[in-house]
Amino acid sequence: MSADAHAVHHTVTGIDNRKFGMWVLIGSECFLFGALILNYLVNRDRGLVGPKATDIFNIDITTLSTFDLLMSSVAMVLALHACQHREIKKFRFWTAMVILGGIIFLGFQYFEFHHFIHAGLGLTTNVFGSSFYLLTGCHGTHVFFGVLWLTSMLVTSFIRGKEWFPSVQLEVAGLYWHFVDVVWILIFTVVYLFVYL
Amino acid sequence: MAKCLPNTGVISWITTVDHKRIGIMYAVSAFFFLLCGGIEALLMRTQLAIPNNTLVTAGTFNSLVTMHGTTMIFLFVMPLSAAFFNFLTPLMIGAPDVAFPRMNALSYWIFLFGGLLLNFSFVVRLAPDGGWFNYANLTGKAFSPSHAIDFWVFGVQILGLASLIAAINFLVTILNMRCKGMTLLKMPIFIWTTLVTQVLLILALPVITVALVMMTFDRTFGTGFFDPAGGGQVIMWQHFFWIFGHPEVYILILPAMGIVSEILPTFSRKPLFGYTVMVYSSCAIGFLGFAVWAHHMFTTGLGPWAQALFSAATMLIAVPTGVKIFNWISTLWGGQIRFTTAMLFAMSFIAMFTFGGLSGVMHSSPPIDSQHQDTYFVVAHFHYVLYGGAVMALFGGIFYWFPKVFGYYLHEGMGKAQFWLYMLGFNLTFFPMHFLGMQGMPRRVFTYAGDQGWNLWNLVATSGSYVTALGGVMFVVNIVYTMATKKKKAPADCWDGRTLEWSLASPPPEYNFAVDPEVKNLDDWWHQKYTHDGRRLTPRYQPDVDPATKHLPHPSFWPIILAAGLEIVAIGFFFDEVGHYISVAGLVVTLLATYGWIFEEA
């Protein structure tokens, strides 16, 4: 996140290279999650043993964790806004809120996995379980890296002091965070809501 | 730390973030791996020279087939293309470097470590033997219990990561760092094919990543994605693999098409015929490349609808390819042709690639394809496309840009000798394979009975492979001779070229352009040299300036450390008891390197 020499470079599109790079990465990630979601759709009814989706999903709790993750995106917007307007306290507070939202979501996911395993659905029980854990686990890993990233920025903010406003870097992190949220909306729809179709 | 690093010596190469040096390292590594893949090919051909040969065992032959394919694709053609992307992209678009110089070094080191991991399998006598497409369920734990397949899975996973990082870098570089005046349709055609290649990489690689993760889970953690016993499906691997695998063949051929499209106009002294159509054709090929993967699977029972659809899409993709071939021929038409070595390679590309393309279109018809499936006819087809096509073009590119890179011309006589040895050897090896395939000889068999009528053509094919090897030796001699004697010094614009890199000294200075270039036309350098009616103008070559006045990105140790960390993570999967400790240690190294990287002044 150091002051990159390329930031001062004039770019053809006018978009900072790092931001552009993140957009391209997001394009790639669409195909990553696309493949995982397709794999889940193919396999969700193919489990021969063990519980099925309808047996174990708890829509109330997942709705709650979805709400939490969406709110963290709102916090992300506010953190970036504060950073761009050089308001150090708000910038730190809202960044901390994003991190908290991410951690709460990961807590929900831990609880959910724990619950499913106790209900008899392990990683290797059947292909439905394997595809489910692979998809949601991959998403959880993305949330974890987002939390790590934003925590690093928050800590750096305390090291660098009150005059450090990394707007571009935070915007890049924000793009990532929003994308991970959007993917969750898709996963929530396809994995948790399609069960009721 | 980074600032006091030296400018020459081993350390300077390990820490370099200069796109030109990274390009050279890519090329050197690619040729090292070409040697590996070439020896594998010679061993296979020697084994098949006569029926019932016992030079290698069936098991070894399986490993040779697998490693030859994997090496030539992932460790030779892709990195050699990457060498061209690296060296040429910033020079052709008038940029000081790529968008992310340290990430560029990172992708090189990840690639190198991945390639070494893959080939380390020979040292421990566990070379992968599942074919270059590693079909499930042959590659499941039940049928391949050793770590051999894991070498393939982790090797390709690591190589994929390297390509993805590089692809993001080049896409951003091309779209964001062009010099003043260079609109999209004023970019050199090589930059266009590079751009399309990066898009294909960015969208195709994640699919193989997912498939490889699934295979890792199947093999390491006991899931059953590809195991019918638990509800999984073998065919899923094939779909995932070819959704990646077919764009992959365009990833291999598009850069070669770009190189040829640069060489032909220079040595015909004519602009590329139908530049805009070439651009659109490249885009069309890239787009359709994602819609034809199932033509690799016609014999798996897809059903008539899927077969009809994929058959039609495959025939359709021949259209933009055909357009390109006619454009290349039209470029030559009426030109003042100079038959340099580079030109010979480029012209042979047109012929050989057309051969391979024609046999390819034959396979778009499912009834014909089911006759050819898994025979030597298919081997002949894709070698005409990838060897007669991609590799010949890449060698043309080497002869064309070598003076730019090192400042000396390669020896033309030896180059032409190599070219003719390659042409003769290549056609002797692969043309008879059409006959062998039609006669029903299956691929990947380690030997055959003497009464099948296959003896003659197999012997011819093997003799051809030795002629090719001789051509390879000629190339090495040429490089060594040129660099040892340094006889023929190349001026800046040594071929009377058309694109911006020829306005720079040979070799170009570390900072690339002393004065930021500004272009007004397609082939701007040409228009700076000649008026429309052919009168000579005095072009402005880039001046030399003191490098100290130019801001250059600092060299860095972090890329190689980060790449090593990722490699250690993968290595952990090969040990049963302590494996996860090794992987976690690798993660820690990766994480520390990431933080070191972030807080280092670029």
Side-chain angles (χ1 to χ4, degrees):
Chain A
M1 286 304 114
S2 66
D4 248 291
H6 329 293
V8 293
H9 239 287
H10 173 76
T11 62
V12 176
T13 56
I15 302 168
D16 185 275
N17 279 341
R18 291 163 289 178
K19 212 165 123 184
F20 201 147
M22 179 50 74
W23 276 113
V24 179
L25 177 68
I26 286 172
S28 185
E29 295 260 314
C30 285
F31 272 58
L32 185 90
F33 280 105
L36 287 167
I37 289 171
L38 266 173
N39 181 52
Y40 174 80
L41 284 176
V42 167
N43 283 324
R44 65 173 178 162
D45 295 325
R46 294 182 66 92
L48 302 178
V49 287
K52 296 192 180 342
T54 38
D55 303 336
I56 53 170
F57 281 173
N58 184 337
I59 191 69
D60 299 340
I61 288 181
T62 316
T63 308
L64 212 58
S65 75
T66 305
F67 177 76
D68 161 71
L69 199 63
L70 290 185
M71 286 307 106
S72 80
S73 256
V74 176
M76 187 75 238
V77 173
L78 294 171
L80 180 62
H81 185 265
C83 185
Q84 284 166 342
H85 289 79
R86 304 180 70 81
E87 295 171 280
I88 190 73
K89 277 188 183 159
K90 282 187 182 172
F91 160 48
R92 285 174 181 169
F93 173 76
W94 287 116
T95 308
M97 283 299 114
V98 184
I99 296 166
L100 187 67
I103 291 173
I104 291 173
F105 178 82
L106 288 172
F108 270 115
Q109 196 162 40
Y110 175 80
F111 173 79
E112 187 192 35
F113 281 14
H114 190 77
H115 170 71
F116 285 0
I117 288 167
H118 271 270
L121 185 76
L123 175 68
T124 57
T125 308
N126 59 35
V127 276
F128 154 65
S130 305
S131 315
F132 170 81
Y133 285 118
L134 192 65
L135 172 58
T136 53
C138 180
H139 179 267
T141 311
H142 276 75
V143 175
F144 174 78
F145 276 108
V147 167
L148 197 67
W149 187 352
L150 289 164
T151 309
S152 305
M153 288 193 75
L154 189 60
V155 171
T156 311
S157 168
F158 283 103
I159 296 170
R160 293 266 174 114
K162 293 181 176 175
E163 288 305 308
W164 189 64
F165 291 100
S167 299
V168 179
Q169 289 96 317
L170 193 68
E171 201 178 346
V172 175
L175 277 175
Y176 174 84
W177 191 263
H178 293 313
F179 170 72
V180 173
D181 273 14
V182 169
V183 169
W184 181 255
I185 294 174
L186 207 65
I187 293 176
F188 181 65
T189 311
V190 170
V191 175
Y192 295 90
L193 295 184
F194 276 16
V195 171
Y196 300 100
L197 282 182
Chain B
M1 181 182 82
K3 278 180 187 167
C4 49
L5 288 170
N7 220 349
T8 52
V10 180
I11 298 289
S12 76
W13 285 89
I14 288 176
T15 58
T16 188
V17 294
D18 179 357
H19 69 97
K20 298 182 286 301
R21 284 185 166 206
I22 293 170
I24 293 169
M25 292 199 290
Y26 260 114
V28 171
S29 317
F31 280 114
F32 166 72
F33 289 123
L34 170 67
L35 190 67
C36 301
I39 291 171
E40 285 148 19
L42 284 178
L43 280 171
M44 283 190 290
R45 272 325 317 167
T46 311
Q47 162 69 17
L48 291 172
I50 49 170
N52 299 314
N53 201 357
T54 52
L55 176 74
V56 296
T57 61
T60 309
F61 194 89
N62 287 346
S63 291
L64 291 173
V65 170
T66 306
M67 287 300 286
H68 169 72
T70 309
T71 301
M72 289 306 195
I73 289 168
F74 293 102
L75 300 177
F76 174 57
V77 176
M78 281 175 81
L80 193 56
S81 302
F84 285 105
F85 302 157
N86 262 287
F87 198 92
L88 295 172
T89 302
L91 301 185
M92 281 186 161
I93 63 172
D97 205 315
V98 292
F100 309 104
R102 287 182 298 174
M103 253 169 64
N104 202 16
L106 176 68
S107 38
Y108 169 73
W109 292 113
I110 295 177
F111 145 71
L112 182 68
F113 290 158
L116 292 178
L117 176 72
L118 199 54
N119 277 285
F120 184 72
S121 60
F122 279 116
V123 179
V124 290
R125 295 183 167 275
L126 281 174
D129 51 4
W132 91 274
F133 35 62
N134 210 46
Y135 274 0
N137 54 355
L138 173 64
T139 49
K141 214 53 179 175
F143 301 104
S144 298
S146 77
H147 277 304
I149 298 298
D150 295 324
F151 275 107
W152 190 89
V153 170
F154 283 97
V156 174
Q157 187 74 284
I158 289 173
L159 293 169
L161 184 64
S163 295
L164 180 68
I165 294 171
I168 292 173
N169 204 346
F170 286 114
L171 189 91
V172 175
T173 304
I174 292 172
L175 290 180
N176 233 7
M177 311 253 308
R178 279 166 287 142
C179 67
K180 217 173 162 193
M182 188 175 281
T183 53
L184 287 175
L185 285 177
K186 283 177 189 158
M187 298 197 305
I189 188 76
F190 176 73
I191 297 298
W192 259 110
T193 59
T194 304
L195 181 66
V196 176
T197 307
Q198 309 314 320
V199 173
L200 290 179
L201 282 165
I202 285 160
L203 300 182
L205 285 169
V207 181
I208 191 74
T209 303
V210 167
L212 289 168
V213 167
M214 285 161 72
M215 185 154 275
T216 307
F217 269 54
D218 271 13
R219 292 183 52 84
T220 312
F221 305 128
T223 56
F225 289 115
F226 307 121
D227 180 12
Q233 293 169 90
V234 173
I235 206 78
M236 277 294 277
W237 170 266
Q238 292 198 25
H239 277 293
F240 274 133
F241 184 85
W242 288 115
I243 289 174
F244 153 79
H246 202 84
E248 170 70 20
V249 306
Y250 294 103
I251 288 164
L252 299 171
I253 200 69
L254 275 167
M257 289 174 162
I259 289 170
V260 167
S261 308
E262 293 293 341
I263 295 174
L264 293 176
T266 297
F267 294 118
S268 310
R269 290 179 67 85
K270 272 180 67 188
L272 181 69
F273 188 90
Y275 165 84
T276 320
V277 180
M278 289 295 251
V279 169
Y280 290 137
S281 299
S282 301
C283 297
I285 289 173
F287 180 76
L288 289 171
F290 276 98
V292 295
W293 80 87
H295 70 208
H296 297 269
M297 301 163 62
F298 278 151
T299 55
T300 57
L302 296 167
W305 276 105
Q307 288 203 335
L309 201 78
F310 283 106
S311 172
T314 307
M315 290 174 193
L316 199 62
I317 206 167
V319 175
T321 317
V323 167
K324 285 192 161 206
I325 289 168
F326 284 113
N327 277 353
W328 287 319
I329 295 171
S330 308
T331 305
L332 293 168
W333 189 268
Q336 299 168 31
I337 295 175
R338 281 180 287 166
F339 288 100
T340 59
T341 310
M343 185 63 162
L344 289 175
F345 274 111
M347 286 167 80
S348 76
F349 167 92
I350 305 176
M352 297 298 103
F353 182 76
T354 307
F355 266 64
L358 286 175
S359 57
V361 179
M362 291 166 76
H363 298 149
S364 67
S365 162
I368 295 176
D369 181 76
S370 47
Q371 295 297 310
H372 291 167
Q373 171 94 22
D374 267 331
T375 70
Y376 262 87
F377 195 90
V378 176
V379 180
H381 155 66
F382 66 71
H383 279 93
Y384 265 88
V385 180
L386 291 182
Y387 183 176
V391 177
M392 291 302 248
L394 288 168
F395 270 105
I398 295 276
F399 277 87
Y400 184 54
W401 280 294
F402 190 92
K404 176 54 61 191
V405 178
F406 294 105
Y408 297 94
Y409 287 101
L410 282 169
H411 192 274
E412 279 289 305
M414 277 192 257
K416 281 174 186 165
Q418 181 205 349
F419 167 77
W420 287 112
L421 285 170
Y422 264 35
M423 271 304 269
L424 182 71
F426 167 76
N427 283 296
L428 270 181
T429 306
F430 295 104
F431 201 81
M433 286 188 188
H434 291 109
F435 306 144
L436 286 172
M438 292 306 240
Q439 289 167 4
M441 182 169 171
R443 296 165 71 173
R444 301 189 207 95
V445 287
F446 81 107
T447 191
Y448 50 92
D451 57 358
Q452 304 284 313
W454 302 337
N455 300 8
L456 172 67
W457 293 125
N458 268 303
L459 192 63
V460 171
T462 302
S463 60
S465 69
Y466 287 110
V467 177
T468 306
L470 216 59
V473 172
M474 190 60 89
F475 178 66
V476 176
V477 171
N478 198 347
I479 298 266
V480 173
Y481 171 83
T482 304
M483 293 318 280
T485 59
K486 297 197 168 175
K487 259 190 180 159
K488 219 174 151 197
K489 194 149 178 36
D493 190 7
C494 56
W495 302 116
D496 202 5
R498 315 180 68 87
T499 39
L500 281 180
E501 77 270 25
W502 305 108
S503 69
L504 292 163
S506 306
E510 208 183 335
Y511 50 81
N512 292 358
F513 295 91
V515 184
D516 286 341
E518 190 180 340
V519 301
K520 295 188 186 69
N521 303 292
L522 175 67
D523 290 342
D524 196 73
W525 180 241
W526 182 266
H527 289 284
Q528 287 185 42
K529 292 188 294 186
Y530 299 98
T531 60
H532 280 290
D533 46 11
R535 273 184 301 112
R536 237 184 188 295
L537 300 167
T538 321
R540 251 179 303 152
Y541 285 92
Q542 284 283 332
D544 278 330
V545 295
D546 180 14
T549 61
K550 284 280 176 183
H551 177 86
L552 291 171
H554 297 296
S556 172
F557 271 114
W558 294 117
I560 190 172
I561 297 174
L562 210 168
L566 289 171
E567 175 91 350
I568 296 169
V569 174
I571 288 171
F573 281 83
F574 291 86
F575 294 91
D576 293 332
E577 300 273 313
V578 290
H580 45 284
Y581 294 114
I582 298 175
S583 290
V584 169
L587 265 183
V588 172
V589 173
T590 310
L591 208 62
L592 288 178
T594 310
Y595 280 111
W597 174 310
I598 288 168
F599 290 106
E600 177 186 60
E601 198 186 331

